[in-house]
Structure formats: C-alpha cells, structure tokens
Amino acid sequence: MSRTRRIGTWVQVLLSVLAFGYIVWRLQQFHNWEVFGRQLQQNTGGLVLVLLLQVLLAALNIALESLKWQQLKGGLLHQSFGSTLRQVLKGLQSGLVTPARAGDPFMKAWLLPRGLRTQAFLRSLAGSFLQNMVLMAGGFVGLLWLQSGGLPQTLADFGRELLRWTTLALILVLVLALLLVAFWPRLRTRPQWRQQIQALAQLGRGRLLKIMALTLLRYATYHLQLWLILHHLGVLQHWSDLALVMLYYAALTLLPTMALTDLGIRGSIALFLFGLRSANSPAIVGAIFLIWCLNLALPALLSAVLPPRRPPE
C-alpha cells in the first residue's frame, strides 16, 4: 500500500472516531430527553406516523444529495450510486467535525481518483453555492409571506439583517466574478488553471437544470421535515408557518459555525423564530435536536461503521 493510501485510510479512521465521540458527547449534553419524550407522546395517535415520516424524509434527503453529487461529477467519471452515496456520507461526517462544514467538499473530492480531485472540489463548491442561494432566496420568500400578515418589530429587524448579509454575499460573488474575468487572459496561458475552470463550464445546461431540480427537491424535503415535527408538537399550527422554517434555514446559511457551537446556534435561532408561535421551548429545542440527529448524526455514524476505503490513485 502506498504512503498516500495509508495516510488516507488513517484520516478516515480519525474522522470516524472524532465524529463518533462528538455525537456521543452531544447526546449526553442534551438534558431534555424526558420532557421532549413526554411532549412527543401527547399525540400518540400520530406519533408513529410522524417518526416514520421523519426517518423516510431523512433517507430521501441523503438520496437526493447523492443524486446531486452524481450529477456534479458528470463528465469527470461514472460511478455507481452506492459509491456516490458512500462519498456523500463520508463528506457529511467530515463536515460535522470541521469549521463551517469545510471538510465536506474536501472529503468527497479526495475519495475520487487523483487528477480529478481539484475539478470535483470546484464542482462541489458550485453545488454548495447553488444550495445556499436557494436557501437565501427562500428566506426572502418567507419574509414576504410573513409580511402579508404584518411583521413584529423583532422579525422586521431580523429581515433587515438577513437582507444586509445576503447583499454582502452577493457583492462578494460579483467581485470574485469580475476578478475571474479580469485575470482570465492570464489564466488561459496556464493549462492547469484553465483545465480546472473549464471543468465548471463543462457541466452543461441540461445537467445544471437537473442539479437545480434536485437542490429544490432537497430544499422542500428538509423544510417539510422540520415543519412536520414542530406541527406534531403544537409549535406550528398552519401551513403558512412554513415561512418561519424558510427564514430559519436562511439564517443558518449566513452563520457558518464551528462544530462545537453548531447546535447552540441552531437552537438560539429556532427559539427566536418559532418562539413567535409558541413559548414551548423544550419542544422547539427537542425538534431541532431530533432533526440534527436524523440528518447529520445518524449518517455520520453510518459512515463511521463503514470500513475506510483507500483513496484511488
């Protein structure tokens, strides 16, 4: 076994151990299990159905992300859905223990053959950028939706902050695009740079439309997932409350966090937004924790029990 492959194997083992330890620590730190369990059982008639839907939607979420990654890799190489799913799970695991989930695109690209990793990394970043734009656009739709019924002052202030940070993000993207145009003549003279940038252009309109469709389907999936559990707990009552869920995910997009503070940030934003509908704080925090377990912790644990695969040469 080459040195690179040995290092790759040990990196995967280390990430699995870190992810497992972090998840176990998080489970121990959550002290509202008893209260949350009682609240789940208040509506026992629909409890089994709600929990089953949560698991199915979490599985659908992972499947859609795998299909999206398969499309993003299109033109670089063809791999089975099983291999793609494994890369997505390893990426989620790496993102769980790295700041701002930076390890996700690195790991997915690293598990591809050498020579394709830089191009795959850029495509993964493009997919994440597209998802973040959809999330922020959804936040504005949610804000306009809520505005039709009149906004509390605190939510109006929140909307202005969302607009400010989104504007800054768009300005940054515009500046980067202008720099790319300005330096393109020089980059064209360097084959290694030209090859990486052209990899993005080679995605094609048809593939980009598929990626956008999968992104929107995944967006709808985890929004419905959170709304369902909060509705079951009596926090959200109407379909119109989906607007608050849209604002919640938009806010998370603009707040990259360290792994250790991720759940705390999620809980704080959730209490602020969903607290406008209900003062049931244990239900709100418990719902956020359950979604975190299903969408992040469980896939990371599943990835941890998979035997490490040596990065291809």
Side-chain angles (χ1 to χ4, degrees):
M1 187 189 302
S2 69
R3 182 182 178 185
T4 301
R5 290 192 171 191
R6 285 198 302 271
I7 292 174
T9 300
W10 281 110
V11 166
Q12 291 181 63
V13 170
L14 176 62
L15 287 172
S16 295
V17 171
L18 288 174
F20 183 79
Y22 173 64
I23 291 167
V24 169
W25 177 73
R26 272 300 180 190
L27 291 173
Q28 291 176 338
Q29 292 298 307
F30 187 69
H31 302 300
N32 294 318
W33 285 115
E34 186 177 350
V35 177
F36 183 54
R38 285 200 304 267
Q39 297 198 355
L40 276 176
Q41 295 171 9
Q42 286 178 359
N43 183 10
T44 54
L47 177 60
V48 174
L49 178 60
V50 167
L51 292 179
L52 178 61
L53 281 173
Q54 291 298 314
V55 174
L56 290 176
L57 288 171
L60 178 60
N61 182 28
I62 297 297
L64 289 171
E65 180 63 16
S66 299
L67 289 172
K68 177 182 168 184
W69 178 230
Q70 204 166 35
Q71 289 295 325
L72 284 165
K73 291 187 297 180
L76 297 179
L77 79 167
H78 176 74
Q79 290 184 312
S80 67
F81 180 80
S83 297
T84 304
L85 175 62
R86 183 190 185 96
Q87 291 159 15
V88 167
L89 291 175
K90 287 293 183 182
L92 284 172
Q93 182 193 79
S94 302
L96 189 68
V97 294
T98 51
R101 307 200 183 285
D104 188 334
F106 278 105
M107 178 57 73
K108 286 191 295 189
W110 190 50
L111 290 173
L112 298 184
R114 182 180 296 178
L116 299 177
R117 292 170 186 168
T118 303
Q119 297 175 48
F121 174 72
L122 291 174
R123 289 191 178 193
S124 181
L125 287 183
S128 298
F129 173 77
L130 181 61
Q131 178 174 297
N132 288 340
M133 290 298 101
V134 168
L135 284 165
M136 286 190 283
F140 284 114
V141 171
L143 196 61
L144 293 173
W145 192 353
L146 288 169
Q147 197 169 21
S148 62
L151 287 177
Q153 185 59 44
T154 53
L155 199 54
D157 294 339
F158 179 82
R160 280 192 290 271
E161 284 297 305
L162 180 65
L163 177 61
R164 184 167 68 90
W165 284 105
T166 303
T167 303
L168 288 174
L170 291 175
I171 290 174
L172 177 60
V173 170
L174 180 61
V175 170
L176 290 175
L178 291 174
L179 287 174
L180 179 60
V181 171
F183 285 97
W184 178 243
R186 294 185 182 181
L187 294 175
R188 289 178 60 184
T189 63
R190 301 185 180 184
Q192 68 274 22
W193 284 99
R194 184 176 58 198
Q195 182 182 11
Q196 312 308 339
I197 294 172
Q198 286 178 339
L200 293 175
Q202 290 169 356
L203 280 171
R205 183 181 301 176
R207 198 177 297 278
L208 282 173
L209 287 175
K210 291 178 183 178
I211 293 169
M212 174 59 83
L214 290 167
T215 300
L216 291 172
L217 282 173
R218 187 164 178 253
Y219 177 89
T221 299
Y222 53 73
H223 279 62
L224 177 61
Q225 190 181 17
L226 181 55
W227 183 88
L228 280 173
I229 189 64
L230 289 172
H231 178 68
H232 177 80
L233 293 169
V235 175
L236 303 181
Q237 300 292 336
H238 306 289
W239 280 106
S240 60
D241 291 329
L242 268 170
L244 288 171
V245 179
M246 296 163 80
L247 275 177
Y248 168 74
Y249 281 114
L252 288 183
T253 303
L254 294 169
L255 290 172
T257 58
M258 295 288 290
L260 293 177
T261 60
D262 184 46
L263 262 176
I265 294 293
R266 288 170 181 262
S268 299
I269 297 173
L271 286 172
F272 170 71
L273 289 173
F274 304 131
L276 296 172
R277 294 290 186 265
S278 172
N280 192 345
S281 298
I284 294 171
V285 175
I288 295 301
F289 189 76
L290 177 64
I291 296 298
W292 181 85
C293 287
L294 290 173
N295 289 352
L296 290 174
L298 191 59
L301 286 176
L302 179 60
S303 178
V305 300
L306 292 174
R309 179 172 293 179
R310 290 176 254 174
E313 296 293 344

